[in-house]
Amino acid sequence: RHAEAEREFRALYEIRRRPENLGEEHPNTLRTRYHLATSLYALGRKDDADLLLDGLRESLIAVVSEDHIYVRDLDAWLAER
């Protein structure tokens, strides 16, 4: 299940992050990056997940707000891992 999710989130992330689509800093792209990271973490690929998580919170806050659900979800997940 996690391997399938990783493939799907990776494909979606690669599409969304392109400048002609949503771009790197779009909230939906950042949310997909979060989901890809959690999938990688569940697969035991913690180093790969950490690369995606690096700076993610700051990027989210820059485009939404600190109290946005995307940021709260990320904070909750980080606290649990």
Side-chain angles (χ1 to χ4, degrees), residues 1-43:
R1 176 178 156 212
H2 292 295
E4 182 180 348
E6 185 268 334
R7 284 190 301 275
E8 294 294 324
F9 284 126
R10 182 172 304 284
L12 184 59
Y13 178 62
E14 291 304 323
I15 291 167
R16 286 183 168 177
R17 69 191 289 214
R18 293 182 195 147
E20 66 271 17
N21 294 325
L22 299 178
E24 285 283 350
E25 299 301 315
H26 190 280
N28 292 342
T29 304
L30 295 170
R31 181 68 166 181
T32 304
R33 183 173 143 193
Y34 160 72
H35 285 298
L36 176 55
T38 61
S39 296
L40 290 167
Y41 195 86
L43 290 168

Side-chain angles (χ1 to χ4, degrees), residues 25-80:
E25 299 301 315
H26 190 280
N28 292 342
T29 304
L30 295 170
R31 181 68 166 181
T32 304
R33 183 173 143 193
Y34 160 72
H35 285 298
L36 176 55
T38 61
S39 296
L40 290 167
Y41 195 86
L43 290 168
R45 296 173 53 191
K46 294 177 173 79
D47 290 341
D48 292 333
D50 286 341
L51 288 174
L52 289 169
L53 292 168
D54 186 43
L56 180 57
R57 186 175 195 281
E58 293 79 8
S59 293
L60 279 169
I61 291 170
V63 296
V64 289
S65 67
E66 193 162 2
D67 65 338
H68 192 278
I69 187 67
Y70 288 2
V71 177
R72 291 195 320 253
D73 283 352
L74 174 61
D75 287 346
W77 184 80
L78 290 171
E80 291 176 9

